[in-house]
């Protein structure tokens, strides 16, 4: 399964830290990494703030978009990798 939607802390002018919990059901396989993706409202595709996979349950996002736009008009998903 997928994790619940992330929360964020440490909101600063050009960054924030996303936090999430592992999914309740891992399908019987241990989860080793996560992938963060976002989509700006009205766009067709998902984008990644990093090409790396993330082993932790948090990630500091260095914002490359206007912060207000990022926070107010995006959908987010975090996928688990087994």
């Amino acid at each position: 399964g997928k994790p619940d939607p992330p929360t964020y802390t440490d909101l600063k002018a050009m960054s924030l830290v996303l936090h999430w919990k592992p999914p309740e059901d891992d399908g019987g396989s241990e989860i080793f990494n996560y992938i963060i993706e976002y989509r700006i409202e009205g766009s067709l595709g998902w984008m990644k703030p990093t090409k790396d996979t993330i082993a932790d349950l948090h990630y500091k996002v260095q914002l490359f978009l206007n912060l207000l736009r990022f926070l107010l008009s995006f959908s987010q998903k975090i996928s688990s990798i087994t």
Side-chain angles (χ1 to χ4, degrees):
K2 66 179 183 175
D4 289 334
T7 58
Y8 63 87
T9 60
D10 299 325
L11 180 61
K12 299 190 174 148
M14 292 302 290
S15 67
L16 58 81
V17 178
L18 291 174
H19 301 268
W20 58 92
K21 295 178 183 176
E24 290 184 25
D25 180 11
D26 63 11
S29 296
E30 184 178 358
I31 295 171
F32 294 103
N33 294 294
Y34 295 89
I35 297 172
I36 298 174
E37 297 178 288
Y38 70 94
R39 182 177 68 202
I40 303 296
E41 186 176 1
S43 69
L44 299 176
W46 291 88
M47 296 176 277
K48 298 177 184 176
T50 179
K51 294 178 183 177
D52 299 328
T53 57
I54 297 125
D56 297 316
L57 296 174
H58 58 86
Y59 181 74
K60 183 175 184 177
V61 177
Q62 299 293 329
L63 298 180
F64 40 85
L65 302 170
N66 176 284
L67 179 60
L68 188 58
R69 182 176 175 202
F70 184 86
L71 290 176
L72 294 179
S73 61
F74 83 115
S75 299
Q76 56 198 1
K77 68 178 179 178
I78 296 181
S79 306
S80 54
I81 301 172
T82 57

